[in-house]
Amino acid sequence: MNLELQQFKANFFKALGHPLRIRILELLAEGDKNVNELQTLIGSEGSAVSQQLAILRNNNIVYGTKDGNKVTYSLRDPMIIELLSVARQIFNNHLIDTISMLDRFNEE
């Protein structure tokens, strides 16, 4: 069981391991969007957005709901929003530590 959980976590974080996928998730955290909306907000080609959405969908991180000829994407689990927030806090902590280290270095 522990090995299965570790494998799930590894695959999950691997699926998150691309800046465009993270940006898509940040936008979906604000609300459901279709590919055209995501493409406009990101300023990227539709094919790139579609490719990244496919990876997120294949890893059960987002899901699509077909509405006519459009597919609207949503976060599968709202805990993703919290995960992204925690990642931002970790980044900020790292940045604060780096700034403190530079301040100490400049004082010498």
Side-chain angles (χ1 to χ4, degrees), residues 60-63 74-81:
N60 294 314
I61 297 171
V62 301
Y63 67 95
S74 309
L75 297 176
R76 184 165 296 279
D77 189 329
M79 292 290 292
I80 293 289
I81 298 168

Side-chain angles (χ1 to χ4, degrees), residues 9-96:
K9 288 178 181 179
N11 290 337
F12 177 78
F13 284 112
K14 184 178 177 184
L16 297 180
H18 190 283
L20 185 52
R21 291 194 289 265
I22 296 297
R23 182 67 181 130
I24 289 169
L25 293 175
E26 290 171 341
L27 291 169
L28 291 177
E30 297 170 1
D32 302 346
K33 294 179 179 45
N34 63 45
V35 175
N36 291 335
E37 292 170 319
L38 290 168
Q39 178 183 345
T40 299
L41 290 166
I42 292 169
S44 179
E45 293 181 23
S47 61
V49 171
S50 294
Q51 289 172 353
Q52 301 309 323
L53 281 166
I55 292 168
L56 293 169
R57 193 176 55 246
N58 290 338
N59 284 278
N60 294 314
I61 297 171
V62 301
Y63 67 95
T65 305
K66 194 156 177 85
D67 181 25
N69 63 348
K70 291 185 179 180
V71 178
T72 300
Y73 287 91
S74 309
L75 297 176
R76 184 165 296 279
D77 189 329
M79 292 290 292
I80 293 289
I81 298 168
E82 190 173 333
L83 178 66
L84 294 172
S85 175
V86 169
R88 180 180 293 270
Q89 290 171 2
I90 291 169
F91 172 79
N92 287 343
N93 292 342
H94 177 74
L95 191 58
I96 289 168

